[in-house]
Amino acid sequence: MSTSIYARRFLAAVFAVTFLLALAASHASAQAVTPTPQQQLGSNVFFDTNLSEPAGQGCVSCHHPAFGFADPDQNLPVSEGVMPGRFGTRNSPSAAYAAFFPTFTLKGGILGGQFWDGRAADLTEQAKGPFLNPVEMNNTSQAQVIGKIALAAYASLFEQVCGPNAFDPANTEISYNCMAASIAAFEGTSELNKFTSKFDAYLAGLYALTPQEDQGRRLFSTSGKCAHCHIDNGKPVVFTDFKFHNIGLPTNREYPFSLLNPIPIDRGLGGFLNDPRQDGKFKNPHLRNIALTAPYMHNGVLKTLKQVVHFYNTRDVLAPCDPALGNLDPGFSITCWAAPEIPQTMDSSFLGDLRLTDAEEDAVVAFMMTFTDGFMP
């Protein structure tokens, strides 16, 4: 064997060891970042399951770290609140990477905001809602929430962040707003926004996509048309245009929606703005950790990433399902698709008949699987 080959192998080994040491140091540095008092308070509140009525549910109950900060109960399309049998009507979106969504605006095109319909302008406004929602944490007043925090182990930290008179009843609204702002501050930390996926390693030149993943990457931006709405050239890349779209999803008739008779039509953005032109449009979610956050869409009607890609690919190709059964038709997603809930504003520009093969659908799914955080080269 020639000396030059030995030299190249030696240099490659040195590079590999150097890279791994640098990666380990970088990872340790990222983990060692000390949160601000406000961020720490937000974390304490986020993970506290004693702030509901009765106790037993917190933000973490529907936004769990192991599930991409989405609902850990993936057998239901929507979340059950602290009161048994009370369910929301929408799938819990991921709280991770939500900090990258801009403040809701109507200027220059409708975009941004929080919740599926954008009704909360930002994360602070969003954080105020679940505590007082009867189908979520079920408190009856802001004072009830603040009173529970006064009994928590982190009550002194709350006073440090929100003021020495934070538990004075006269300051309840100010304290409640401070609590919500602290949750928003926590949601902006690297604990929720890691950027440690295979895709990030690929962007950094530290991971080579498999042939299937690379095929999916190319399809994502070409014939798959995913990147028209889940743009992949942002800085940083979170795979969304932050806008609202009606992709023609059907009504979800499975439990617990089946408890409602009739199942109400969800107008989405149109309901929030009271504008029929926006009916059926919902926030375009980011795709970070998408493999962990099933089921999918605002009503959880699609169960797997394969089913999602197949819907985009064949929505206008497969036969209509039995109208009496809708998505409960045994052929749903296989031989038929149920009728769209609101067809009037449905987008047909970038989906419906993409003419992808089954293998190409699998490739797109494989590429999206690279968006999951926690990868170590």
Side-chain angles (χ1 to χ4, degrees), residues 12-303:
V14 170
F15 172 79
V17 172
T18 303
F19 161 69
L20 289 173
L21 290 173
L23 183 66
S26 175
H27 182 71
S29 176
Q31 297 302 310
V33 173
T34 302
T36 67
Q38 184 188 41
Q39 291 168 342
Q40 183 58 57
L41 173 62
S43 176
N44 290 342
V45 175
F46 188 95
F47 289 102
D48 192 342
T49 58
N50 293 316
L51 303 182
S52 60
E53 186 57 41
Q57 188 168 52
C59 305
V60 66
S61 301
C62 298
H63 303 283
H64 197 283
F67 295 85
F69 284 90
D71 196 332
D73 190 350
Q74 299 185 329
N75 295 317
L76 287 173
V78 291
S79 301
E80 187 172 23
V82 69
M83 299 298 292
R86 289 187 190 176
F87 296 89
T89 57
R90 292 176 181 161
N91 182 21
S92 296
S94 171
Y97 297 97
F100 289 91
F101 282 77
T103 301
F104 182 83
T105 181
L106 298 173
K107 298 178 181 179
I110 305 172
L111 57 81
Q114 302 295 328
F115 292 118
W116 281 103
D117 56 10
R119 68 185 185 275
D122 53 32
L123 280 176
T124 298
E125 290 303 309
Q126 184 277 327
K128 297 176 184 179
F131 293 94
L132 305 180
N133 191 323
V135 299
E136 295 186 65
M137 295 174 70
N138 195 44
N139 292 289
T140 57
S141 67
Q142 295 179 354
Q144 187 176 25
V145 179
I146 300 304
K148 292 174 181 178
I149 293 177
L151 301 176
Y154 54 88
S156 59
L157 177 61
F158 191 88
E159 290 179 309
Q160 177 186 342
V161 174
C162 300
N165 298 317
F167 297 120
D168 185 332
N171 295 326
T172 294
E173 184 172 3
I174 295 173
S175 296
Y176 192 81
N177 292 341
C178 178
M179 175 203 71
S182 297
I183 296 173
F186 167 65
E187 291 176 322
T189 67
S190 60
E191 186 168 344
L192 285 84
N193 313 289
K194 298 178 183 296
F195 293 102
T196 57
S197 67
K198 283 183 179 179
F199 178 76
D200 297 297
Y202 162 73
L203 290 181
L206 304 177
Y207 174 73
L209 297 174
T210 68
Q212 186 187 42
E213 291 167 349
D214 195 51
Q215 181 190 23
R217 177 189 63 82
R218 288 180 277 108
L219 289 167
F220 190 91
S221 299
T222 54
S223 53
K225 299 186 179 180
C226 313
H228 282 283
C229 298
H230 296 283
I231 57 175
D232 59 358
N233 59 349
K235 295 184 183 298
V237 180
V238 292
F239 298 103
T240 179
D241 58 4
F242 306 109
K243 297 180 181 180
F244 296 80
H245 304 279
N246 176 4
I247 62 171
L249 291 167
T251 299
N252 193 346
R253 302 188 184 191
E254 64 185 334
Y255 179 84
F257 290 104
S258 59
L259 299 175
L260 305 173
N261 188 21
I263 300 173
I265 293 176
D266 193 338
R267 296 177 60 196
L269 179 65
F272 166 50
L273 297 179
N274 195 25
D275 182 354
R277 296 172 299 176
Q278 309 303 330
D279 281 355
K281 296 183 181 181
F282 293 89
K283 184 172 72 171
N284 183 28
H286 68 78
L287 299 184
R288 289 284 178 167
N289 293 308
I290 192 68
L292 304 178
T293 62
Y296 301 103
M297 308 304 172
H298 71 278
N299 58 2
V301 72
L302 301 179
K303 306 307 177 190

